[in-house]
């Protein structure tokens, strides 16, 4: 075995260019398969982590229909008939609802001195902090008393605070303006990323719902409601219950489209998983093509090696080598050739995905079983590709070789 391996390595070193070209297909196949599968797994895991941050039992009903895209959920059309009464009806009418936080969401410019930047203003209740896991990093969230008295206070997202005051740590106690409405900053959020409808939560500003509705905009409608469901709740049943309640309250007849949307935090994972499944399939197809090309490359170079080493084969047969020894020798060379290509493909893929993990802020997810499977599959591919050349080499007779060489 040791001698056969030394002969195999020596032969592959002798034909460096052919060896590299033969390994290229296997290398690309292993690279594509390892990279795509690891990135897909990491993206799904990142989505799961974000959902855990938002609250895995989060449920939302909001005005307007939702159109799903890969980047998130987008409102297709809006309606102005969602009210606080609708939110209370959902909280009271859904058996699995533990608490609710009605909210309104608008895009407005916020001012601080000479700085003016767009922001997403969220008006809600103190329950929002617990339902959405929105505890400030600095300061606090507004309380029930501030909700009842329509207090002019706010909590800033981390990006908004940094852009207005240079650093989030400097925002507490400062004043920001929405047109003529002066709001005192009582808290600053940690960096939170995107929410289930694709909004950057770090560019949000939170105010008491009553403050926005009566002292800032003087409106009666709201955007929707966040509801905390009991653990282990049937989300599809909750959706159906919410849909029945809202269709009844909005007097929507049979056959008419809803003027609202109901969704859960887990809907985002479902959408992303479907998109990533397609990416995984495409990656699998591309890697399969690369492996097939690699197999043909190995077959070609092994046939050439057999023809160029006829004298070596004849000498080995003359000193007592059996046909099985010749077959083993060339199968070993084919397996080593393919295995080395697969090894470097997996290695380079791991380096690339690790770099992407760092740059993109993805969790470090690795799949050892997948990597071992790719390596073993690469070796098996080489062995299968080497079967015909090895059989051809074993059929040479010593006398025939001597005649042809002579």
């Amino acid at each position: 075995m040791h001698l056969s391996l030394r002969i195999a390595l020596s032969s592959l070193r002798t034909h460096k260019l052919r060896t590299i070209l033969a390994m290229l297909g296997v290398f690309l196949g292993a690279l594509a398969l390892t990279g795509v599968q690891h990135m897909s797994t990491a993206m799904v895991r990142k989505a799961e982590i974000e959902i855990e941050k938002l609250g895995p039992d989060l449920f939302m009903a909001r005005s307007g229909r939702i159109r799903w895209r890969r980047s998130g959920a987008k409102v297709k059309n809006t309606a102005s008939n969602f009210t606080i009464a609708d939110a209370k009806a959902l909280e009271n009418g859904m058996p699995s609802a533990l608490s609710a936080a009605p909210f309104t969401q608008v895009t407005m410019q916020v001012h601080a001195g000479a700085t003016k930047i767009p922001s997403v203003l969220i008006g809600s209740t103190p329950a929002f902090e617990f339902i959405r896991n929105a505890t400030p990093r600095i300061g606090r969230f507004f309380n029930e008393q501030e909700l009842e008295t329509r207090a002019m206070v706010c909590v800033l997202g981390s990006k908004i605070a940094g852009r207005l005051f240079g650093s989030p740590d400097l925002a507490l106690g400062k004043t920001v303006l929405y047109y003529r409405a002066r709001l005192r900053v009582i808290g600053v959020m940690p960096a939170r990323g995107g929410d289930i409808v694709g909004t950057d939560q770090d560019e949000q500003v939170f105010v008491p719902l009553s403050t926005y509705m009566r002292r800032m905009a003087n409106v009666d409608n709201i955007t929707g409601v966040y509801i905390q469901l009991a653990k282990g709740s049937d989300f599809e049943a909750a959706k159906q219950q919410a849909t029945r309640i809202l269709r009844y309250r909005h007097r929507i007849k049979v056959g008419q489209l809803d003027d609202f949307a109901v969704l859960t935090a887990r809907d985002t994972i479902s959408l992303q998983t479907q998109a990533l499944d397609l990416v995984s399939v495409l990656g699998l197809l591309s890697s399969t093509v690369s492996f097939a090309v690699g197999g043909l490359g190995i077959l070609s170079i092994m046939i050439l090696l057999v023809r160029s080493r006829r004298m070596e084969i004849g000498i080995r047969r003359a000193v007592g080598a059996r046909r099985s020894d010749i077959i083993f020798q060339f199968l070993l060379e084919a397996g080593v050739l393919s295995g080395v290509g697969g090894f470097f493909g997996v290695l380079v893929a791991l380096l690339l995905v690790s770099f992407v993990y760092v740059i993109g802020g993805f969790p470090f997810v690795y799949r050892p079983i997948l990597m071992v499977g790719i390596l073993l599959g690469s070796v098996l591919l080489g062995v299968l590709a080497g079967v015909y050349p090895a059989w051809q080499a074993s059929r040479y007779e010593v006398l025939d070789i001597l005649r042809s060489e002579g």
Side-chain angles (χ1 to χ4, degrees):
M1 176 67 178
H2 179 68
L3 178 61
S4 297
L5 184 59
R6 288 180 58 188
I7 295 173
L9 294 176
S10 175
S11 174
L12 296 179
R13 283 196 300 267
T14 303
H15 304 86
K16 292 184 177 65
L17 182 59
R18 292 179 182 179
T19 298
I20 293 173
L21 292 176
M23 289 192 302
L24 186 59
V26 180
F27 168 83
L28 293 176
L31 176 68
L33 187 57
T34 304
V36 170
Q37 294 299 322
H38 276 81
M39 284 307 305
S40 299
T41 304
M43 292 174 72
V44 170
R45 180 56 189 149
K46 184 177 181 180
E48 291 173 346
I49 292 173
E50 292 301 322
I51 295 305
E52 290 170 2
K53 290 180 181 178
L54 295 176
D57 302 307
L58 177 66
F59 179 92
M60 182 180 77
R62 62 162 297 154
S63 60
R65 294 200 305 277
I66 296 291
R67 178 171 58 190
W68 286 101
R69 298 175 180 172
R70 290 186 184 181
S71 58
K74 303 297 181 184
V75 178
K76 188 176 181 181
N77 71 303
T78 58
S80 59
N81 58 346
F82 205 107
T83 64
I84 291 180
D86 289 333
K88 291 182 178 178
L90 289 173
E91 183 179 11
N92 296 329
M94 296 172 61
S96 57
L98 298 179
S99 59
F103 72 96
T104 189
Q105 177 175 316
V106 294
T107 301
M108 299 176 65
Q109 274 202 334
V110 59
H111 303 232
T115 305
K116 299 180 181 180
I117 56 175
S119 69
V120 177
L121 183 69
I122 304 290
S124 190
T125 66
F128 183 95
E129 177 183 2
F130 306 103
I131 293 176
R132 290 295 308 273
N133 291 335
T135 301
R137 181 178 67 87
I138 303 171
R140 61 178 178 84
F141 210 74
F142 46 83
N143 54 38
E144 289 290 344
Q145 181 180 0
E146 289 164 331
L147 179 69
E148 293 174 3
T149 59
R150 304 171 186 173
M152 301 296 286
V153 295
C154 69
V155 177
L156 303 181
S158 62
K159 285 184 182 178
I160 292 290
R163 293 174 65 185
L164 290 177
F165 302 106
S167 169
D169 297 334
L170 302 177
L172 199 64
K174 300 291 179 60
T175 299
V176 299
L177 285 82
Y178 278 97
Y179 301 112
R180 295 182 180 179
R182 301 175 63 87
L183 302 172
R184 179 170 55 90
V185 179
I186 62 172
V188 178
M189 290 290 184
R192 305 180 69 213
D195 67 6
I196 60 175
V197 292
T199 303
D200 188 347
Q201 297 175 99
D202 300 329
E203 295 185 346
Q204 294 176 340
V205 177
F206 305 90
V207 301
L209 182 60
S210 58
T211 301
Y212 172 78
M213 295 181 69
R214 295 279 75 91
R215 301 186 66 176
M216 297 179 67
N218 194 28
V219 294
D220 294 317
N221 61 290
I222 61 175
T223 301
V225 59
Y226 291 109
I227 297 175
Q228 181 72 47
L229 300 180
K231 288 187 177 180
S233 298
D234 186 334
F235 287 96
E236 287 304 317
K239 281 182 165 183
Q240 294 172 9
Q241 293 163 1
T243 299
R244 285 196 298 268
I245 292 171
L246 291 177
R247 286 183 67 89
Y248 173 78
R249 291 187 57 82
H250 292 187
R251 296 181 174 85
I252 299 175
K253 297 179 181 179
V254 176
Q256 291 182 327
L257 294 175
D258 297 336
D259 61 0
F260 58 87
V262 293
L263 63 155
T264 70
R266 300 187 183 189
D267 290 333
T268 305
I269 282 192
S270 177
L271 176 72
Q272 292 189 1
T273 300
Q274 292 174 15
L276 292 174
D277 285 344
L278 177 60
V279 174
S280 297
V281 170
L282 294 176
L284 180 61
L285 291 176
S286 65
S287 60
T288 300
V289 172
S290 297
F291 276 124
V293 172
L296 292 175
I298 292 170
L299 174 63
S300 300
I301 193 174
M302 293 307 300
I303 291 175
L304 291 174
L305 287 175
V306 168
R307 291 176 180 176
S308 65
R309 293 163 61 187
R310 288 163 54 90
M311 182 59 70
E312 174 194 326
I313 296 171
I315 294 173
R316 293 190 65 183
R317 291 295 311 277
V319 297
R322 297 168 295 180
R323 292 182 186 274
S324 59
D325 296 328
I326 302 300
I327 291 175
F328 176 77
Q329 177 66 51
F330 283 94
L331 289 181
L332 178 63
E333 291 184 16
V336 169
L337 180 65
S338 185
V340 171
F343 171 79
F344 281 107
V346 171
L347 179 62
V348 173
L350 288 178
L351 294 175
L352 290 176
V353 297
S354 297
F355 178 75
V356 174
Y357 288 169
V358 173
I359 298 300
F362 291 97
F364 283 74
V365 178
Y366 297 102
R367 300 174 61 182
I369 295 179
L370 173 68
M371 292 183 280
V372 172
I374 292 174
L375 291 175
L376 293 177
S378 298
V379 174
L380 179 61
L381 174 67
V383 171
L384 292 176
V387 168
Y388 173 72
W391 175 82
Q392 190 180 48
S394 70
R395 304 297 297 172
Y396 288 145
E397 296 291 344
V398 177
L399 293 177
D400 293 335
I401 294 174
L402 292 176
R403 291 193 191 100
S404 63
E405 293 296 330

